[in-house]
Amino acid sequence: MKIKYPISLKQILLFSFLILLVLGVSTTLVSTLIRQDDRNKAEENNLTLNGRTAQTIQSTLQNAKSNSYVLFESYSAANEENQKKLGDAFFQVNPDILFISSPETDMLFSPEYGKYAAGVRVLLESPDAASALSNKSADEKAFYLNASEVFEFPAVIIIFKYGPSNDIKNGVVGLNVSALAELMSTGSSNTTLLVDQKAKILINPDFSSTETVREDMLPFVESLASNSQETNIQESSNGSLIAVHQIKDDLFAITTISEKSVYAVINRTTFRIILFSLAVFFAAIILIRIFSNGITRPVKELVVASNEIEHGNFDLDIKPRTRDEIGLLTSSFVQMGKGLAEREKLMVSFSKFTNKTIAQKAASGELTLGGENRDATIFFSDIRSFTAMSEKMQPNEVVEFLNAYMTRMVECVNQTGGVVDKYIGDAIMAVWGAPESSGSAAGDALNAVTAALMMRDSLAQFNRERAGRGLPPVKIGCGINSGPVVAGQIGSEERMEYTVIGDAVNLASRTEALNKPFATDVLITENTYNLIKEKILVAEMPGVHVKGKTDAIKMFAVVNLVGREGAKSIEEVRSIIGTVAPDLSKVNTDDEEKKYNIQA
């Protein structure tokens, strides 16, 4: 039998599952705990950074407005010469201010940024900027424009109100926010944007967009503006952590960090743990394989040894490799092989003196002590004129002849499931249906007739071989009867044999003797014929009064099996076996040697 699931494979799968389970659970627990801790720290750091950056932005923007307001006040009271000095000094002190504009100063640029004047004027003429400039309300918050496209670096234009309530003026200041942009993107994973209440970007550190913020950020800005909260931190729809801080003039500092950045360290650590776990796993597989070989190798040897025993080889060349249970099992296996070898030798010797099937049943204790009633088919065969033949042969030649003859005939019995009951000189007695049956009385009867026909063919071959050596042919007669018998172990306390007895046995013996006067080789009684008449070709013989029987017993000469090649009539059979149809009216019925009377 082929091994489908070896023990080594089961061990490797079991231990691999346990190792993977332990490593997987521990890695998941560590990763989950650290991830949560990293997330909490990231949220806290993001919120802290957002607050500090918002304060810096608010301070920078407020200083720009305040410094510009001071210049506006001073500028109106100075003469033209002093105004120029005030302007030059202002831009030197405030290098991040690009330009200023007010009713007092008109539009005044820092010397190196005057080239951007045309672009600034176009920007101030936009609808949003024009609307902010036309509003003279003192309560109006400052208005901010992203001027990065004009100046080609991060820049913001601030439109704010100043002056007494009865004389509100518009102040405009252009501010270089490159330092703020650098601060808002410090090289870490956090990025801060400055947006207005319409979510338009005023300062973008990567300088990649001047439009509105991403859609996932809008809900946070709107929620913070509507609830008048100062800060808010949540997770956006794309997985980023977002902190929003509202500053003066309805501006919002938005600081974000992606989950990829938050979990970068733990992901790398988890990956290393997985690699380490795989290394441990493969190392464990190798160790398990080495360990399992110590178990499976002796087991495989036992499997091979069991196959040897199954095929009849009981001389096992295996030795215990270990001193554990498997070593003990190996020792026991070797001893078992020796015991089976002795049993087989005994069985072979026993089988030579009795039937193999009976020997096996006797050895296994399956034979019933005493007798049992069985329906069986009994067969007798006898060599014609054997006494005359043996007188012309030496004793050793007689034995050699009988052995050759019996070997052929017994093989036919064995091939059809019969049991040779005994040898009576040159006669053979065989039984079908005891101690084992084919399953039905008809099946046993058909097997017995088949065996007789096989004997006819085998004897023909045997005679051809004898003719080649110049020896005379051998003729036999076979008698078959079916009926109830008593089967069992019969004999004395010192010697017993398995046999069948009963009237059916006697009738089979006497039927065999009728082959000679009928010039046939296979005769069956009507008991056997009635069981298998649809499967055989026969020629009916005259009724016979058998000794011990009151009623006449019908006899049938077997021609062949239906559909089998060979003879189709009794004449062909007599031609094959070398006999001539007799004149039954001239048979001496008073011959005491013959146990029959023939009725016309």
Side-chain angles (χ1 to χ4, degrees), residues 357-358 361 365-376 431 433-437 483-490 497-502 505:
T357 302
I358 295 175
K361 285 184 173 291
E366 295 181 30
L367 283 181
T368 303
L369 294 176
E372 58 178 345
N373 294 324
R374 302 293 294 262
D375 284 325
V431 182
E436 290 184 339
S437 172
V485 298
V486 176
Q489 300 179 79
I490 298 174
E497 68 174 359
Y498 185 89
T499 188
V500 293
I501 59 176
V505 179

Side-chain angles (χ1 to χ4, degrees), residues 98-114:
L98 306 174
F99 72 93
I100 58 173
S101 177
S102 69
E104 295 85 2
T105 62
D106 199 7
M107 184 169 289
L108 188 62
F109 274 86
S110 176
E112 58 182 300
Y113 298 113

Side-chain angles (χ1 to χ4, degrees), residues 379-520:
F379 166 94
F380 279 89
S381 70
D382 189 34
I383 300 176
R384 295 286 169 257
S385 303
F386 178 71
T387 302
M389 290 177 58
S390 62
E391 289 177 352
K392 301 176 183 179
M393 303 167 64
Q394 295 297 321
N396 62 316
E397 293 177 337
V398 174
V399 173
E400 182 180 350
F401 163 73
L402 286 178
N403 287 340
Y405 164 76
M406 295 290 187
T407 299
R408 288 177 173 271
M409 300 301 105
V410 171
E411 183 179 0
C412 298
V413 175
N414 292 336
Q415 287 182 2
T416 54
V419 173
V420 174
D421 186 283
K422 59 177 64 69
Y423 302 109
I424 310 170
D426 62 309
I428 300 174
M429 174 183 173
V431 182
W432 282 259
E436 290 184 339
S437 172
S438 64
S440 66
D444 294 331
L446 182 61
N447 287 337
V449 172
T450 301
L453 294 174
M454 291 172 63
M455 289 179 184
R456 177 190 292 169
D457 297 337
S458 181
L459 185 64
Q461 176 63 31
F462 184 58
N463 284 332
R464 284 193 290 272
E465 294 174 2
R466 286 176 59 82
R469 299 196 302 270
L471 298 174
V474 177
K475 297 180 180 180
I476 67 172
C478 303
I480 300 174
N481 180 43
S482 302
V485 298
V486 176
Q489 300 179 79
I490 298 174
S492 67
E493 293 182 356
E494 295 180 356
R495 185 180 185 279
M496 302 184 73
E497 68 174 359
Y498 185 89
T499 188
V500 293
I501 59 176
D503 189 58
V505 179
N506 298 330
L507 181 56
S509 175
R510 295 172 185 179
T511 301
E512 180 274 322
L514 295 174
N515 280 285
K516 187 174 183 179
F518 287 157
T520 58

Side-chain angles (χ1 to χ4, degrees), residues 71 74-75 77-89:
L71 178 62
S74 302
Y75 208 87
N79 56 31
E80 184 176 349
E81 183 179 355
N82 288 333
Q83 286 179 342
K84 186 177 184 310
K85 291 179 179 180
L86 285 172
D88 293 339

Side-chain angles (χ1 to χ4, degrees), residues 330-384:
T330 302
S331 299
S332 301
F333 216 81
V334 172
Q335 294 301 320
M336 180 187 71
K338 292 179 179 178
L340 289 174
E342 293 297 326
R343 181 179 181 274
E344 185 65 16
K345 290 178 182 178
L346 179 61
M347 182 65 67
V348 171
S349 300
F350 188 31
S351 298
K352 291 180 180 179
F353 296 95
T354 185
N355 181 269
K356 184 176 181 180
T357 302
I358 295 175
Q360 291 175 341
K361 285 184 173 291
S364 61
E366 295 181 30
L367 283 181
T368 303
L369 294 176
E372 58 178 345
N373 294 324
R374 302 293 294 262
D375 284 325
T377 296
I378 303 92
F379 166 94
F380 279 89
S381 70
D382 189 34
I383 300 176
R384 295 286 169 257

Side-chain angles (χ1 to χ4, degrees), residues 56-58 60-65 68 90-91 94-101 107-109 113 116 119-120 123-124 129 142-160 171-182 184 192-196 200-205 207 209-211 247-252:
T56 302
I57 293 173
Q58 181 171 295
T60 301
L61 297 179
Q62 185 61 37
N63 287 338
K65 291 189 292 182
S68 299
F90 176 80
F91 288 117
N94 300 282
D96 290 335
I97 295 181
L98 306 174
F99 72 93
I100 58 173
S101 177
M107 184 169 289
L108 188 62
F109 274 86
Y113 298 113
Y116 298 107
V120 170
L123 190 59
L124 292 175
F143 177 76
Y144 296 83
L145 283 173
N146 188 332
S148 301
E149 289 186 353
V150 173
F151 289 97
E152 299 178 342
F153 54 81
V156 173
I157 295 177
I158 308 172
I159 301 175
F160 62 95
V172 181
V173 58
L175 183 64
N176 183 348
V177 292
S178 297
L180 282 178
E182 185 177 353
M184 294 161 67
T192 303
L193 300 175
L194 180 66
V195 302
D196 60 16
K200 289 185 177 181
I201 299 176
L202 299 177
I203 303 177
N204 188 356
F207 198 57
S209 174
T210 58
E211 300 298 326
I247 59 180
K248 194 174 180 180
D249 296 329
D250 288 339
L251 299 182
F252 300 90

